[in-house]
Amino acid sequence: MMAPLKPRPLYKRIYWWISFLSRQTAFIICLLPAYVVFFWHYITCDRLAEYYKNVEGEEENDNDTNNSKKKNKQKPPYFSRNYLDVYGSKTIIGNKDNNTETSIEDGDVKKPIVIFIVGGAWTIGYKMWGCLLARALVPFGILVIIPDYRNYPKTDIQGMVNDVDTSIQWVMDNAQKYGGDNKRIVLVGQSAGAHLATTVVARKVLDYLLSMRDDDSSKEEDKEEAEDLQYTPLKSTYNPWQLCGLVSTSGPLNLVAMEKVLHNEGIISDKKQMKLFLGEGGLRDWSPYHLFQKCHDLYNEKNHNTKQEQKQQKDLFPKICIIQGTADKTVPESEASSFISLLSSLNIPTISKVYKDWSHTDPILEKPMAGDHTYHADIHELVCSWTAVDDTSSKDNDGREAKDENLPLEFDLGHPILRPICPLMLVNAGRYCNPF
């Protein structure tokens, strides 16, 4: 167990901020050509901004640390963080077999969906950070939806988890209006976004397990377990296995092991700040590693006490992939490897992908800016694999197995949209200055 956290001396905090801001400024200057393309694409591409807060099954539960003013429920607040970007709702895609073009207005094409939860150390996350991923996937027939969520200190972790959960419910309820297939959704998160996405999935499984009651005595036990967890159930109505897959990229999945890093980054510099950041519960209550372990323990307990037929434990979760770079200085590679080991011990199937010499932000920034779309190609491959419609009885006119017409197009690395948008020399300089 770690020793109690002590506030860092003022001079160390000043030095850290000067160093961080200097490197961040140099990082932005080096990648400025790419950021120009990045921003221009963001404001001109096929993108719709939608307010997701008020959806069926979700009550108003802001968890704001300064929520003294009531929100106007008649009209979405203009500066709210509860908007999401829908990319590709009007994009025309080519047909793989006869070179014709099809748009969602035809009513036949339903695109698989990627919900991407951006990172930002829970403090500087913004939906625009996922623009490059949407830019790479939309031309190949994937609907990309990127929710925004409130950051700390505007809210605590519970508020962020609630926001992400609410946005997923909105996609489930509304995706078809934008040409998406709400039965073929893959949830992807990077950094803090990976933590929030994985936490939401684990908590949804806990919701399900805690709702399995045989008699009044088990209800009382479930209540005690929820109180012991410092746990408030999520308000959404979807089930976690309705998601086809979950991809965690560079995610801090064991907050207990990451406590020192969070302390050094100034997120939880003392007990008071930790309370403000975590809100309800402690590090274990918001740590995916410990939540998955709790799901396993609770499942075994329920399975032992109930006579009803239950889902297998692995079927409660979506398919899972863990992606990690070996040169990540923010979230060490051990975070991914320990989580993968845990899932293996729990008999939860997992795919792992390790990117040699990739940094914390390489998958979403530097690599695609330099024209290396390995990460995007892997996401595309997972979407195709996880969302394929299994219909072996369907045959074409020649008696061959028919292709799934709703699958994305093949990921073409020669597509013009995938060209480098920044000179390699500047990208390498930016990677050297990168403070993350």
Side-chain angles (χ1 to χ4, degrees):
M1 193 172 188
M2 284 188 60
L5 297 177
K6 297 180 180 179
R8 287 185 298 173
L10 179 61
Y11 75 91
K12 285 190 175 181
R13 281 182 280 171
I14 293 175
Y15 174 80
W16 186 89
W17 275 108
I18 292 175
S19 175
F20 176 84
L21 292 175
S22 299
R23 297 182 68 179
Q24 177 75 346
T25 302
F27 179 72
I28 293 173
I29 292 174
C30 290
L31 301 179
L32 191 58
Y35 280 121
V36 172
V37 177
F38 182 106
F39 182 71
W40 179 252
H41 180 80
Y42 184 75
I43 63 176
T44 61
C45 69
D46 175 12
R47 177 181 63 88
L48 298 172
E50 300 289 351
Y51 187 71
Y52 67 77
K53 189 64 176 179
N54 297 318
V55 296
E56 184 180 355
E58 176 69 19
E59 299 175 0
E60 197 73 20
N61 184 14
D62 286 321
N63 270 55
D64 264 327
T65 54
N66 54 351
N67 59 351
S68 57
K69 295 183 180 180
K70 291 186 177 180
K71 296 181 183 293
N72 182 358
K73 295 184 180 181
Q74 298 299 319
K75 186 177 180 181
Y78 185 78
F79 292 106
S80 170
R81 297 299 301 270
N82 297 125
Y83 282 88
L84 51 76
D85 288 333
V86 181
Y87 292 85
S89 63
K90 301 177 182 178
T91 299
I92 296 175
I93 61 173
N95 186 286
K96 299 186 286 294
D97 296 323
N98 54 22
N99 293 324
T100 60
E101 292 183 336
T102 311
S103 66
I104 65 170
E105 284 77 8
D106 297 324
D108 296 327
V109 175
K110 290 184 179 179
K111 302 176 182 178
I113 301 167
V114 166
I115 303 176
F116 183 63
I117 312 300
V118 298
W122 302 279
T123 57
I124 57 172
Y126 184 59
K127 57 190 172 74
M128 187 172 72
W129 305 157
C131 179
L132 288 181
L133 179 134
R135 184 174 182 263
L137 296 182
V138 163
F140 304 107
I142 296 177
L143 188 73
V144 179
I145 300 178
I146 305 179
D148 205 2
Y149 56 88
R150 292 164 296 159
N151 294 158
Y152 176 77
K154 176 69 174 176
T155 190
D156 53 31
I157 279 191
Q158 181 175 338
M160 296 181 230
V161 167
N162 287 343
D163 285 353
V164 171
D165 179 58
T166 305
S167 69
I168 296 172
Q169 183 69 65
W170 185 96
V171 175
M172 292 283 186
D173 294 340
N174 297 278
Q176 290 182 316
K177 300 176 185 177
Y178 303 89
D181 188 343
N182 61 2
K183 295 180 180 179
R184 301 195 298 157
I185 298 174
V186 174
L187 181 62
V188 182
Q190 190 270 339
S191 189
H195 163 264
L196 294 173
T198 311
T199 299
V200 166
V201 168
R203 289 236 161 181
K204 289 298 292 182
V205 173
L206 280 175
D207 282 348
Y208 171 77
L209 293 172
L210 289 171
S211 69
M212 294 171 55
R213 297 161 175 153
D214 295 331
D215 49 43
D216 292 338
S217 62
S218 65
K219 288 182 181 181
E220 189 63 32
E221 290 174 3
D222 286 341
K223 183 178 179 181
E224 291 176 2
E225 287 168 355
E227 290 174 352
D228 181 60
L229 268 172
Q230 295 293 309
Y231 178 66
T232 301
L234 299 173
K235 303 297 183 181
S236 57
T237 58
Y238 68 91
N239 291 312
W241 55 85
Q242 288 181 258
L243 298 168
C244 293
L246 166 67
V247 182
S248 170
T249 309
S250 308
L253 302 177
N254 186 340
L255 293 190
V256 176
M258 288 285 293
E259 184 175 5
K260 187 174 181 180
V261 175
L262 297 175
H263 175 62
N264 291 338
E265 296 292 330
I267 298 173
I268 51 172
S269 59
D270 53 40
K271 287 185 177 181
K272 181 179 179 180
Q273 198 168 10
M274 179 182 287
K275 178 64 177 176
L276 291 173
F277 176 63
L278 296 175
E280 183 181 277
L283 284 173
R284 288 176 177 269
D285 298 301
W286 301 108
S287 171
Y289 183 96
H290 297 88
L291 289 172
F292 270 68
Q293 181 67 62
K294 183 63 180 177
C295 288
H296 174 71
D297 295 341
L298 194 56
Y299 176 85
N300 286 339
E301 181 181 333
K302 295 291 182 183
N303 195 41
H304 177 74
N305 293 334
T306 185
K307 297 179 181 179
Q308 297 178 356
E309 185 177 348
Q310 293 193 76
K311 283 178 171 287
Q312 292 188 33
Q313 179 179 252
K314 65 182 181 65
D315 295 330
L316 299 178
F317 298 90
K319 296 179 176 66
I320 298 175
C321 177
I322 308 297
I323 298 177
Q324 182 69 36
T326 61
D328 192 331
K329 294 179 291 186
T330 303
V331 178
E333 190 179 353
S334 58
E335 279 286 294
S337 59
S338 64
F339 192 70
I340 293 168
S341 297
L342 172 70
L343 296 183
S344 177
S345 69
L346 303 182
N347 295 317
I348 299 175
T350 310
I351 299 172
S352 62
K353 294 180 181 290
V354 178
Y355 296 159
K356 185 175 175 56
D357 297 330
W358 280 41
S359 73
H360 189 67
T361 55
D362 270 341
I364 61 166
L365 289 177
E366 297 98 302
K367 290 296 184 180
M369 287 177 175
D372 185 343
H373 292 273
T374 301
Y375 178 64
H376 297 150
D378 283 343
I379 297 297
H380 179 276
E381 180 183 0
L382 291 169
V383 170
C384 290
S385 173
W386 289 344
T387 66
V389 176
D390 185 13
D391 185 7
T392 55
S393 63
S394 179
K395 305 286 183 180
D396 61 16
N397 293 333
D398 297 326
R400 296 173 299 183
E401 186 175 320
K403 295 181 179 180
D404 180 5
E405 293 297 330
N406 287 325
L407 273 180
L409 303 182
E410 182 179 349
F411 195 79
D412 180 11
L413 291 173
H415 195 287
I417 203 74
L418 302 181
R419 293 171 181 167
I421 58 175
C422 189
L424 183 59
M425 179 181 67
L426 291 180
V427 171
N428 289 335
R431 294 182 80 235
Y432 179 79
C433 300
N434 189 347
F436 302 107

